[in-house]
Amino acid sequence: MIDPVDLTRRLIRCPSVTPEDAGAIDTVAEVLAAAGFVCTRCDRGGIANLYARWGTSGPVFGFNGHTDVVPAGDADAWTHDPFGGEIADGLLHGRGATDMKSGVAAFAAAAVRFVTETPPAGSVVLAITGDEEGPSVDGTRAILDWMAAAGERLDACLVGEPTCPETFGEMIKIGRRGSLTARIEARGVQGHAAYPHRARNPVSAMARLTARLSDHALDQGTDAFDPSTLALTAIDTGNPASNVIPAACRATVNIRFNDAHSSETLSAWLREMAERVAAETGIAFDMAIKVSGESFLTPPGPLSDLVSRAVAAETGVTPVLSTSGGTSDARFIRDHCPVVEFGLVGRTMHQVDECVPVDQIVALERVYRRILSDFFA
Ligand SMILES: [Zn+2]
């Protein structure tokens, strides 16, 4: 059998910072192949991806996760080597300890144990990518494209991202808000700060526009979602001089939106707001909008019930169904089959000294195993 803690340590020792794989995918593939999983690499665009399947018949239960990690940053700021996989005082340290090498190791260990001890009438699939933290173009999407071409289908999928804010077992994600980024440029006429009437100041026009965007309440929340949020993340002129009105000013705005909106309605709103300020100020705005994903919801039902029961049985905590947080690869899978997310406490993800209690990895493996046995019961 696979020890999920040992497998997490081995994965942490692969410095798989997106788009590098550093042997992480093969580390998982080897243990799965040894247990009878048919492992197919669905690499695309230099990204390592794995589709591993045990069984040939339906129903098919799938796990999804990623082995890539965000950079460690300043390694000297870490108490333990970010790629050492060290255990101290019951905590396993390293980049990816929570997000989400432990999740991958836990569902790999659960799947191997489950099919070995109680072979189900059906199939278990693990779809693991090396590009979730990066552009996410050649990651889970590449696996889903390969699956469509190969005629492979899942009946349900669980994404093993960390989902619990503080206490293990407290939260399952059944949807996610959408995300959209607008890069805005205001173009004016450069001039001497002592003669502002001879210039056209893009900075004050941008200040007006960004203030209006920030002050606008997008909605009050919906049945399944918190209110949408808009964050102004940059205003930049690149202007070192105090006596020059610059010719241009750039700003970046990120919107996390619920099911009261779509990227289309929000893009139209952003452009309309910019047009109004342009009409008032005579400053032209350019806007480039990038959509990371629309909002989605897997309405509470058989899959979320099954996962909730398994979590409660193993942890003693009744989880809430939530749509909070950032985006995840569930936004791609939701077009394929019902998808929910459950994993560890994510408090230290993407931080210096990312770590996870060793016993939580063991508990997560138990939850995943119970989900499998309940699904096939
Ligand atoms: Zn993650």
Side-chain angles (χ1 to χ4, degrees), residues 192-205:
H192 197 302
Y195 307 95
H197 54 285
R198 291 186 194 156
R200 276 199 286 142
N201 193 338
V203 183
S204 24

Side-chain angles (χ1 to χ4, degrees), residues 81-137:
D81 177 358
F83 300 107
E86 295 167 32
I87 293 176
D89 299 326
L91 296 174
L92 171 53
H93 292 265
R95 178 56 83 226
T98 57
D99 187 9
M100 56 161 284
K101 287 176 168 175
S102 48
V104 169
F107 65 57
V112 166
R113 192 173 197 114
F114 177 69
V115 302
T116 306
E117 291 182 349
T118 50
S123 299
V124 178
V125 161
L126 281 71
I128 304 169
T129 179
D131 177 23
E132 196 276 341
E133 302 288 7
S136 305
V137 170

Side-chain angles (χ1 to χ4, degrees), residues 206-255:
M206 184 64 90
R208 188 182 296 193
L209 174 60
T210 52
R212 279 190 199 165
L213 296 178
S214 301
D215 288 347
H216 181 80
L218 287 161
D219 56 72
Q220 305 300 321
T222 66
D223 285 350
F225 287 88
D226 291 335
S228 303
T229 55
L230 180 150
L232 178 61
T233 56
I235 297 187
D236 179 33
T237 63
N239 179 20
S242 62
N243 57 353
V244 176
I245 292 168
C249 177
R250 280 166 284 276
T252 308
V253 163
N254 180 258
I255 301 178

